[in-house]
Amino acid sequence: MSVTLNGATQVDKRIRLTPEILDYVLTCTEQPVPVQQWLIDATTALGQVAEMQVAHEQAVLFTLLAAASKAHRIVEVGTFTGYSALAFARGMPAEGVIDTYDITDKWSSTARRAWQEAGFADRIRQHIGPAADLLDQLPPEPAVGLVFIDADKVSYIRYWEQLVPRVVDNGLIIADNVLYAGEATSVHAEGNAAAIRTFNEHVRADDRVQAVMLPLADGLTIARKLPAGYRR
Ligand SMILES: C[S@@+](CC[C@H](N)C(=O)[O-])C[C@H]1O[C@@H](n2cnc3c(N)ncnc32)[C@H](O)[C@@H]1O
């Protein structure tokens, strides 16, 4: 088997994930610590909306990326019950701060309880309101080390355009649900899936970043902001 990438043919060593392989992958990934387990349980008890919580294996990656990037300033769009913010907080440096945005405070007390329990409540600042309006109020200078976009899908491009200029050179921009249950891969995608498909094209065409899409959970794009003058 081979795969063609931009005209070049490479041997294809990608495996197709079966449920058994996926189970094995999850078994070999760091398991939730007690406060994470508590937050998973508290969110699951909310019913159907629990599907909005990032998958645990994504959270482990977020902790690794926050630690490896040494991001002092993290901006998150889409707080929900706080699982991803907790994951970033677990990896960020001691003086790191997270600004997280959500249109509703419906789930704030659950998030805050988990952050408190984990010892991060004073370093995670919650902002309630439409994220597009609130992000406009951020200083325009590049000062953010890591961005996570995980809110309304139709606004992803807007958030991207608001935040990429505010990210430092070599900082990271991460976006969730970029496969949208696989629907975003279809030319016939509609609604949120079509919005994600347009967002993915927007990222692909953006020469300010170097991006990789990972088939992790519902699809995750990780992009690095390229320093000015970077040569591909
Ligand atoms: C997928 S959930 C976020 C999940 C969260 N990152 C986690 O790990 O649990 C999406 C969140 O975006 C919020 N949201 C939707 N539209 C928004 C908007 N226009 N501005 C800010 N937040 C919004 C929703 O209220 C919801 O809590």
Short mmCIF file of all heavy atoms in Angstrom, two decimals, residues 39 43 49-55 62 76-85 88 100-104 106-107 127-132 134 148-153 155-156 159 176-177, ligand 1:
data_model
loop_
_atom_site.label_atom_id
_atom_site.label_comp_id
_atom_site.label_asym_id
_atom_site.label_seq_id
_atom_site.Cartn_x
_atom_site.Cartn_y
_atom_site.Cartn_z
N LEU A 39 -14.44 14.82 37.64
CA LEU A 39 -15.03 15.73 36.64
C LEU A 39 -15.69 14.95 35.49
O LEU A 39 -16.72 15.37 34.97
CB LEU A 39 -13.95 16.70 36.12
CG LEU A 39 -14.43 17.85 35.24
CD1 LEU A 39 -15.63 18.58 35.83
CD2 LEU A 39 -13.29 18.83 34.99
N THR A 43 -19.70 15.33 34.92
CA THR A 43 -20.16 15.75 33.59
C THR A 43 -21.06 14.69 32.97
O THR A 43 -22.10 15.01 32.39
CB THR A 43 -18.94 16.06 32.68
OG1 THR A 43 -18.11 17.00 33.35
CG2 THR A 43 -19.38 16.62 31.34
N VAL A 49 -25.39 16.25 27.14
CA VAL A 49 -24.40 17.33 26.92
C VAL A 49 -22.98 16.88 27.24
O VAL A 49 -22.02 17.52 26.81
CB VAL A 49 -24.70 18.61 27.73
CG1 VAL A 49 -25.88 19.37 27.19
CG2 VAL A 49 -24.82 18.33 29.22
N ALA A 50 -22.85 15.79 27.99
CA ALA A 50 -21.51 15.31 28.37
C ALA A 50 -20.64 15.04 27.15
O ALA A 50 -19.41 15.05 27.25
CB ALA A 50 -21.64 14.06 29.23
N GLU A 51 -21.28 14.83 25.99
CA GLU A 51 -20.49 14.56 24.78
C GLU A 51 -19.64 15.77 24.38
O GLU A 51 -18.73 15.66 23.57
CB GLU A 51 -21.39 14.13 23.62
CG GLU A 51 -22.30 15.24 23.11
CD GLU A 51 -23.26 14.79 22.03
OE1 GLU A 51 -23.46 13.57 21.86
OE2 GLU A 51 -23.82 15.68 21.35
N MET A 52 -19.92 16.93 25.00
CA MET A 52 -19.11 18.13 24.68
C MET A 52 -17.73 18.08 25.34
O MET A 52 -16.82 18.79 24.94
CB MET A 52 -19.83 19.41 25.11
CG MET A 52 -21.07 19.71 24.30
SD MET A 52 -21.48 21.46 24.26
CE MET A 52 -22.00 21.78 25.94
N GLN A 53 -17.60 17.27 26.37
CA GLN A 53 -16.31 17.20 27.08
C GLN A 53 -15.23 16.60 26.17
O GLN A 53 -15.49 15.63 25.47
CB GLN A 53 -16.47 16.32 28.33
CG GLN A 53 -15.25 16.27 29.22
CD GLN A 53 -15.57 15.53 30.52
OE1 GLN A 53 -15.93 14.36 30.52
NE2 GLN A 53 -15.44 16.22 31.64
N VAL A 54 -14.03 17.17 26.20
CA VAL A 54 -12.96 16.59 25.38
C VAL A 54 -12.68 15.17 25.87
O VAL A 54 -12.88 14.84 27.04
CB VAL A 54 -11.66 17.43 25.42
CG1 VAL A 54 -11.84 18.78 24.75
CG2 VAL A 54 -11.10 17.56 26.83
N ALA A 55 -12.20 14.33 24.96
CA ALA A 55 -11.87 12.95 25.32
C ALA A 55 -10.62 12.97 26.22
O ALA A 55 -9.74 13.82 26.06
CB ALA A 55 -11.61 12.13 24.07
N PHE A 62 -3.00 17.56 25.83
CA PHE A 62 -3.00 19.00 26.17
C PHE A 62 -2.02 19.28 27.31
O PHE A 62 -1.32 20.29 27.29
CB PHE A 62 -4.40 19.46 26.59
CG PHE A 62 -5.44 19.39 25.49
CD1 PHE A 62 -6.79 19.45 25.79
CD2 PHE A 62 -5.06 19.27 24.16
CE1 PHE A 62 -7.74 19.39 24.79
CE2 PHE A 62 -6.01 19.21 23.15
CZ PHE A 62 -7.35 19.26 23.47
N GLU A 76 -8.51 29.82 25.97
CA GLU A 76 -9.39 28.73 25.58
C GLU A 76 -10.77 29.29 25.22
O GLU A 76 -11.32 30.09 25.98
CB GLU A 76 -9.52 27.74 26.74
CG GLU A 76 -10.57 26.67 26.48
CD GLU A 76 -10.71 25.70 27.65
OE1 GLU A 76 -11.42 26.04 28.62
OE2 GLU A 76 -10.12 24.63 27.58
N VAL A 77 -11.31 28.84 24.10
CA VAL A 77 -12.65 29.26 23.70
C VAL A 77 -13.56 28.03 23.81
O VAL A 77 -13.44 27.09 23.02
CB VAL A 77 -12.66 29.81 22.25
CG1 VAL A 77 -14.01 30.48 21.97
CG2 VAL A 77 -11.52 30.78 22.02
N GLY A 78 -14.44 28.03 24.82
CA GLY A 78 -15.31 26.89 25.09
C GLY A 78 -14.90 26.17 26.37
O GLY A 78 -14.10 25.24 26.35
N THR A 79 -15.46 26.62 27.51
CA THR A 79 -15.04 26.10 28.82
C THR A 79 -15.80 24.84 29.20
O THR A 79 -15.22 23.87 29.68
CB THR A 79 -15.32 27.15 29.94
OG1 THR A 79 -14.89 28.43 29.49
CG2 THR A 79 -14.64 26.77 31.22
N PHE A 80 -17.13 24.88 29.04
CA PHE A 80 -18.05 23.81 29.48
C PHE A 80 -17.76 23.48 30.95
O PHE A 80 -17.74 24.38 31.78
CB PHE A 80 -17.94 22.59 28.55
CG PHE A 80 -18.94 21.52 28.78
CD1 PHE A 80 -20.27 21.82 29.07
CD2 PHE A 80 -18.58 20.17 28.73
CE1 PHE A 80 -21.21 20.81 29.29
CE2 PHE A 80 -19.51 19.15 28.96
CZ PHE A 80 -20.82 19.48 29.24
N THR A 81 -17.53 22.22 31.32
CA THR A 81 -17.30 21.89 32.73
C THR A 81 -15.81 21.88 33.10
O THR A 81 -15.43 21.41 34.18
CB THR A 81 -17.94 20.53 33.11
OG1 THR A 81 -17.39 19.52 32.23
CG2 THR A 81 -19.45 20.56 32.97
N GLY A 82 -14.98 22.38 32.18
CA GLY A 82 -13.60 22.68 32.56
C GLY A 82 -12.55 21.60 32.42
O GLY A 82 -11.44 21.73 32.94
N TYR A 83 -12.87 20.51 31.68
CA TYR A 83 -11.90 19.40 31.59
C TYR A 83 -10.64 19.80 30.82
O TYR A 83 -9.52 19.50 31.25
CB TYR A 83 -12.54 18.17 30.94
CG TYR A 83 -11.86 16.88 31.30
CD1 TYR A 83 -12.03 16.32 32.56
CD2 TYR A 83 -11.04 16.21 30.40
CE1 TYR A 83 -11.41 15.14 32.92
CE2 TYR A 83 -10.41 15.01 30.75
CZ TYR A 83 -10.60 14.48 32.01
OH TYR A 83 -9.99 13.29 32.36
N SER A 84 -10.81 20.49 29.68
CA SER A 84 -9.63 20.87 28.89
C SER A 84 -8.81 21.92 29.63
O SER A 84 -7.57 21.86 29.64
CB SER A 84 -10.02 21.33 27.49
OG SER A 84 -11.09 22.25 27.53
N ALA A 85 -9.48 22.89 30.28
CA ALA A 85 -8.73 23.91 31.03
C ALA A 85 -7.91 23.25 32.14
O ALA A 85 -6.75 23.60 32.37
CB ALA A 85 -9.69 24.96 31.61
N PHE A 88 -4.80 21.69 30.57
CA PHE A 88 -3.74 22.67 30.25
C PHE A 88 -3.07 23.14 31.55
O PHE A 88 -1.85 23.27 31.61
CB PHE A 88 -4.33 23.87 29.48
CG PHE A 88 -4.73 23.53 28.08
CD1 PHE A 88 -6.05 23.68 27.65
CD2 PHE A 88 -3.80 23.06 27.16
CE1 PHE A 88 -6.44 23.36 26.35
CE2 PHE A 88 -4.17 22.74 25.85
CZ PHE A 88 -5.49 22.89 25.45
N THR A 100 -10.31 31.51 29.96
CA THR A 100 -11.23 30.62 29.25
C THR A 100 -12.58 31.30 29.09
O THR A 100 -13.06 31.99 29.99
CB THR A 100 -11.33 29.24 29.95
OG1 THR A 100 -12.23 28.41 29.20
CG2 THR A 100 -11.79 29.33 31.40
N TYR A 101 -13.18 31.12 27.91
CA TYR A 101 -14.40 31.86 27.52
C TYR A 101 -15.55 30.91 27.27
O TYR A 101 -15.39 29.87 26.63
CB TYR A 101 -14.12 32.65 26.23
CG TYR A 101 -13.05 33.70 26.41
CD1 TYR A 101 -11.70 33.37 26.34
CD2 TYR A 101 -13.38 35.02 26.68
CE1 TYR A 101 -10.71 34.33 26.52
CE2 TYR A 101 -12.41 36.00 26.87
CZ TYR A 101 -11.07 35.65 26.79
OH TYR A 101 -10.11 36.60 26.99
N ASP A 102 -16.72 31.29 27.76
CA ASP A 102 -17.93 30.53 27.43
C ASP A 102 -19.12 31.48 27.43
O ASP A 102 -19.16 32.44 28.20
CB ASP A 102 -18.18 29.39 28.44
CG ASP A 102 -18.99 28.26 27.80
OD1 ASP A 102 -20.19 28.48 27.51
OD2 ASP A 102 -18.43 27.17 27.57
N ILE A 103 -20.08 31.18 26.58
CA ILE A 103 -21.25 32.05 26.46
C ILE A 103 -22.19 31.92 27.65
O ILE A 103 -23.00 32.81 27.92
CB ILE A 103 -21.98 31.76 25.13
CG1 ILE A 103 -22.90 32.93 24.75
CG2 ILE A 103 -22.74 30.43 25.18
CD1 ILE A 103 -23.28 32.94 23.29
N THR A 104 -22.07 30.80 28.39
CA THR A 104 -22.96 30.58 29.54
C THR A 104 -22.17 30.21 30.79
O THR A 104 -21.09 29.61 30.68
CB THR A 104 -23.99 29.47 29.23
OG1 THR A 104 -24.72 29.18 30.43
CG2 THR A 104 -23.35 28.20 28.75
N LYS A 106 -23.65 28.26 32.99
CA LYS A 106 -24.44 27.12 33.45
C LYS A 106 -23.58 26.03 34.12
O LYS A 106 -24.01 25.38 35.06
CB LYS A 106 -25.19 26.52 32.24
CG LYS A 106 -26.36 25.72 32.63
CD LYS A 106 -27.38 25.33 31.55
CE LYS A 106 -27.11 25.50 30.11
NZ LYS A 106 -28.10 24.85 29.25
N TRP A 107 -22.37 25.84 33.60
CA TRP A 107 -21.53 24.75 34.11
C TRP A 107 -20.31 25.27 34.89
O TRP A 107 -19.42 24.50 35.23
CB TRP A 107 -21.07 23.88 32.93
CG TRP A 107 -22.22 23.33 32.15
CD1 TRP A 107 -23.13 22.40 32.59
CD2 TRP A 107 -22.63 23.69 30.82
NE1 TRP A 107 -24.07 22.15 31.61
CE2 TRP A 107 -23.78 22.93 30.51
CE3 TRP A 107 -22.12 24.56 29.86
CZ2 TRP A 107 -24.44 23.03 29.29
CZ3 TRP A 107 -22.77 24.67 28.65
CH2 TRP A 107 -23.92 23.90 28.37
N HIS A 127 -14.37 33.83 31.67
CA HIS A 127 -15.04 34.99 31.09
C HIS A 127 -16.34 34.51 30.47
O HIS A 127 -16.33 33.56 29.67
CB HIS A 127 -14.15 35.64 30.02
CG HIS A 127 -12.77 35.95 30.50
ND1 HIS A 127 -12.43 37.17 31.04
CD2 HIS A 127 -11.64 35.19 30.55
CE1 HIS A 127 -11.14 37.17 31.39
NE2 HIS A 127 -10.65 35.97 31.10
N ILE A 128 -17.44 35.15 30.83
CA ILE A 128 -18.75 34.72 30.33
C ILE A 128 -19.30 35.74 29.33
O ILE A 128 -19.36 36.94 29.63
CB ILE A 128 -19.75 34.55 31.51
CG1 ILE A 128 -19.19 33.59 32.57
CG2 ILE A 128 -21.11 34.06 30.99
CD1 ILE A 128 -18.93 32.17 32.10
N GLY A 129 -19.69 35.24 28.15
CA GLY A 129 -20.25 36.10 27.11
C GLY A 129 -19.88 35.54 25.75
O GLY A 129 -19.15 34.54 25.66
N PRO A 130 -20.39 36.15 24.67
CA PRO A 130 -20.04 35.68 23.32
C PRO A 130 -18.53 35.86 23.10
O PRO A 130 -18.02 36.98 23.22
CB PRO A 130 -20.85 36.59 22.40
CG PRO A 130 -21.84 37.29 23.27
CD PRO A 130 -21.28 37.31 24.66
N ALA A 131 -17.84 34.76 22.82
CA ALA A 131 -16.37 34.80 22.76
C ALA A 131 -15.87 35.80 21.72
O ALA A 131 -14.86 36.49 21.96
CB ALA A 131 -15.83 33.41 22.48
N ALA A 132 -16.55 35.90 20.59
CA ALA A 132 -16.05 36.79 19.52
C ALA A 132 -15.95 38.23 20.03
O ALA A 132 -15.00 38.94 19.71
CB ALA A 132 -16.95 36.71 18.30
N LEU A 134 -15.66 39.16 23.28
CA LEU A 134 -14.69 39.26 24.37
C LEU A 134 -13.25 39.17 23.86
O LEU A 134 -12.36 39.86 24.37
CB LEU A 134 -14.96 38.17 25.41
CG LEU A 134 -16.34 38.24 26.09
CD1 LEU A 134 -16.56 37.04 26.99
CD2 LEU A 134 -16.47 39.54 26.89
N PHE A 148 -6.71 27.25 22.49
CA PHE A 148 -7.55 26.08 22.21
C PHE A 148 -8.92 26.56 21.79
O PHE A 148 -9.60 27.28 22.53
CB PHE A 148 -7.66 25.19 23.46
CG PHE A 148 -8.50 23.97 23.25
CD1 PHE A 148 -8.34 23.16 22.12
CD2 PHE A 148 -9.46 23.58 24.19
CE1 PHE A 148 -9.12 22.02 21.93
CE2 PHE A 148 -10.24 22.45 24.01
CZ PHE A 148 -10.07 21.66 22.87
N ILE A 149 -9.35 26.16 20.58
CA ILE A 149 -10.66 26.56 20.04
C ILE A 149 -11.59 25.35 20.10
O ILE A 149 -11.35 24.32 19.47
CB ILE A 149 -10.52 27.06 18.58
CG1 ILE A 149 -9.56 28.25 18.52
CG2 ILE A 149 -11.89 27.43 18.01
CD1 ILE A 149 -9.24 28.73 17.10
N ASP A 150 -12.68 25.50 20.90
CA ASP A 150 -13.60 24.36 21.10
C ASP A 150 -15.01 24.88 21.43
O ASP A 150 -15.62 24.42 22.39
CB ASP A 150 -13.06 23.47 22.24
CG ASP A 150 -13.86 22.17 22.37
OD1 ASP A 150 -14.50 21.76 21.39
OD2 ASP A 150 -13.81 21.57 23.46
N ALA A 151 -15.48 25.87 20.67
CA ALA A 151 -16.83 26.40 20.94
C ALA A 151 -17.69 26.22 19.69
O ALA A 151 -17.58 25.21 19.00
CB ALA A 151 -16.74 27.85 21.40
N ASP A 152 -18.59 27.19 19.41
CA ASP A 152 -19.50 27.06 18.26
C ASP A 152 -18.71 26.95 16.95
O ASP A 152 -17.84 27.77 16.66
CB ASP A 152 -20.47 28.25 18.23
CG ASP A 152 -19.78 29.59 18.37
OD1 ASP A 152 -18.81 29.69 19.17
OD2 ASP A 152 -20.17 30.52 17.65
N LYS A 153 -19.05 25.94 16.18
CA LYS A 153 -18.24 25.59 15.00
C LYS A 153 -18.30 26.68 13.91
O LYS A 153 -17.32 26.88 13.20
CB LYS A 153 -18.70 24.24 14.42
CG LYS A 153 -18.78 23.12 15.45
CD LYS A 153 -17.52 22.97 16.29
CE LYS A 153 -17.76 22.21 17.57
NZ LYS A 153 -16.72 22.39 18.58
N SER A 155 -18.12 29.71 14.20
CA SER A 155 -17.25 30.86 14.51
C SER A 155 -15.78 30.49 14.55
O SER A 155 -14.95 31.35 14.89
CB SER A 155 -17.65 31.48 15.86
OG SER A 155 -19.00 31.86 15.86
N TYR A 156 -15.42 29.26 14.21
CA TYR A 156 -14.01 28.85 14.31
C TYR A 156 -13.08 29.78 13.52
O TYR A 156 -12.01 30.16 14.00
CB TYR A 156 -13.83 27.41 13.81
CG TYR A 156 -13.92 26.33 14.87
CD1 TYR A 156 -14.79 26.43 15.96
CD2 TYR A 156 -13.14 25.18 14.78
CE1 TYR A 156 -14.86 25.42 16.92
CE2 TYR A 156 -13.21 24.17 15.73
CZ TYR A 156 -14.07 24.28 16.79
OH TYR A 156 -14.14 23.28 17.73
N TYR A 159 -12.61 33.04 15.38
CA TYR A 159 -11.71 32.89 16.53
C TYR A 159 -10.26 32.76 16.05
O TYR A 159 -9.34 33.34 16.64
CB TYR A 159 -12.10 31.67 17.37
CG TYR A 159 -13.51 31.71 17.93
CD1 TYR A 159 -14.28 30.56 18.04
CD2 TYR A 159 -14.09 32.92 18.33
CE1 TYR A 159 -15.57 30.59 18.56
CE2 TYR A 159 -15.39 32.97 18.83
CZ TYR A 159 -16.13 31.80 18.94
OH TYR A 159 -17.41 31.83 19.43
N ASP A 176 -10.52 21.68 18.10
CA ASP A 176 -11.15 20.37 18.29
C ASP A 176 -12.29 20.14 17.28
O ASP A 176 -12.78 21.08 16.66
CB ASP A 176 -11.69 20.26 19.73
CG ASP A 176 -11.97 18.81 20.13
OD1 ASP A 176 -11.47 17.89 19.44
OD2 ASP A 176 -12.68 18.58 21.12
N ASN A 177 -12.69 18.90 17.16
CA ASN A 177 -13.83 18.47 16.32
C ASN A 177 -13.61 18.75 14.85
O ASN A 177 -14.57 19.02 14.11
CB ASN A 177 -15.14 19.16 16.78
CG ASN A 177 -15.40 18.97 18.27
OD1 ASN A 177 -15.31 19.92 19.03
ND2 ASN A 177 -15.70 17.76 18.69
C1 LIG B 1 -17.53 21.47 23.22
S1 LIG B 1 -17.93 22.50 24.59
C2 LIG B 1 -16.35 22.83 25.30
C3 LIG B 1 -15.79 21.62 26.00
C4 LIG B 1 -14.62 21.92 26.93
N1 LIG B 1 -13.48 22.42 26.17
C5 LIG B 1 -14.26 20.69 27.74
O1 LIG B 1 -13.14 20.22 27.68
O2 LIG B 1 -15.10 20.19 28.47
C6 LIG B 1 -18.35 24.01 23.76
C7 LIG B 1 -18.65 25.17 24.67
O3 LIG B 1 -18.72 26.35 23.85
C8 LIG B 1 -19.67 27.21 24.42
N2 LIG B 1 -20.10 28.18 23.39
C9 LIG B 1 -20.97 27.99 22.38
N3 LIG B 1 -21.11 29.11 21.66
C10 LIG B 1 -20.29 30.03 22.22
C11 LIG B 1 -19.99 31.39 21.93
N4 LIG B 1 -20.55 32.03 20.90
N5 LIG B 1 -19.09 32.03 22.72
C12 LIG B 1 -18.52 31.39 23.78
N6 LIG B 1 -18.77 30.10 24.09
C13 LIG B 1 -19.64 29.43 23.32
C14 LIG B 1 -20.77 26.29 24.91
O4 LIG B 1 -21.56 26.91 25.91
C15 LIG B 1 -19.98 25.09 25.41
O5 LIG B 1 -19.77 25.13 26.80
#
